[in-house]
Every structure is written in C-alpha cells, then in structure tokens.
Amino acid sequence: MTVLYTPGQLRSAVSIAPETYRHWKKALGPLRRARGHSPCFRSGDLVALAVIRLLTLDMGIRVGALTPIGEALFDLCNRSPWPVLERSKLIIDLPNAALLLRSELTETPTDKPSIVIPLAPVISQLREQLLAAGSEDEQPSLRFPPVEISHAVVSRGGRP
C-alpha cells in the first residue's frame, strides 16, 4: 500500500512555509505534479524535499542551483524505501549534476568537491514530524458527560 501526501502535509512534514513551497515549485519539476490539494506525493518525495530544505535553508545553496539534480533526487528517493535510505548517505556532485547513494559505512574517495548528506538524521526528523502530526485527537472529548434518559423520554423520540 502506497501512502500519498497532500502538498500541505508535505510542507508540514518538511517544515517549510507555503511561500517557500510555491517558489521551489517553480524551480523543481517534481513539485509541479501537485494539482490543488489532492494527495499526490510519495514518502520518497518527503525525503527529497527534506534534502532540498537542508541544502537551501541550512547550507545557503540557491534552489535554482539544484534544478539540474531535482528530477534525479526525487527519483532516487522514491526508488529506495526509508530503511535503505536511513542507512545511506547521499553524495551530490553539483557541477556535474550527479547523485550517488552509498551505504553509510562505505568510503567515498573523490578528488572533486561534493556534498555528503547522511540520510539517517533526515529520515529521523521526518518520522518525528509525521508522528507528531498524527497524535492530535481525531475527535475532541465531549464537554458534557453523557446523561441517562428515562424510558418515557425515549418512547417520545427523545423529546421532553
């Protein structure tokens, strides 16, 4: 069973403002799949957007600079289940628009500048956000306790 998320749930899980989402939607093709408020994002999309958030808001990289890797990032995150991603690191080569997913214990020797993102903290934060969002009571408690109604009132259809 595939769980799909609405754009609002996606923004909430990744902790971005609606204005940020609209701006990123212009730069990143996979975000343009959304039509209105319908559920259309998969769990891998949440991971990809969390990585985009990390790169832009935490590391100061412009979202326009991430456009060349956008499709590949969303595709990579959707091909792998969360437990696999959680034990991996993402290696981003921005100048060549290349992405690699490697085990967190694998050595990645390279002679080129690259960005290495361990995905375990990203997945952990997403889980925490999703579980916090689901803990709200679906139905609030009644303000008044139930009261017993006499048989005579019930026979009249509940009217006094």
Side-chain angles (χ1 to χ4, degrees):
M1 179 175 96
T2 301
V3 176
L4 296 177
Y5 299 92
T6 65
Q9 291 169 323
L10 179 81
R11 287 191 323 264
S12 176
V14 181
S15 301
I16 58 171
E19 297 81 23
T20 304
Y21 174 75
R22 281 193 294 274
H23 175 65
W24 290 359
K25 194 173 176 178
K26 293 175 187 173
L28 301 168
L31 294 180
R32 290 192 287 269
R33 289 192 303 243
R35 297 280 182 243
H37 300 288
S38 64
C40 59
F41 292 109
R42 296 173 288 191
S43 58
D45 296 329
L46 271 67
V47 176
L49 199 64
V51 168
I52 296 290
R53 182 192 188 285
L54 183 93
L55 292 169
T56 57
L57 299 181
D58 297 348
M59 298 180 75
I61 298 173
R62 291 179 308 104
V63 73
L66 302 174
T67 301
I69 64 164
E71 289 286 341
L73 177 63
F74 279 80
D75 183 52
L76 182 71
C77 291
N78 278 307
R79 278 186 293 159
S80 304
W82 278 23
V84 171
L85 291 173
E86 197 168 23
R87 293 185 307 273
S88 304
K89 58 186 171 187
L90 179 65
I91 302 156
I92 303 170
D93 178 5
L94 273 179
N96 296 318
L99 298 172
L100 292 172
L101 190 64
R102 295 286 184 248
S103 169
E104 63 186 347
L105 302 176
T106 305
E107 185 70 28
T108 52
T110 181
D111 58 345
K112 299 178 184 180
S114 60
I115 301 167
V116 179
I117 300 174
L119 294 176
V122 173
I123 302 278
S124 175
Q125 186 176 18
L126 282 173
R127 267 199 195 107
E128 188 176 300
Q129 287 285 71
L130 291 172
L131 290 174
S135 68
E136 297 174 10
D137 288 340
E138 294 296 322
Q139 179 177 353
S141 298
L142 295 173
R143 294 181 187 213
F144 304 103
V147 178
E148 185 176 338
I149 300 175
S150 69
H151 181 66
V153 173
V154 171
S155 66
R156 291 190 305 251
R159 290 182 288 280

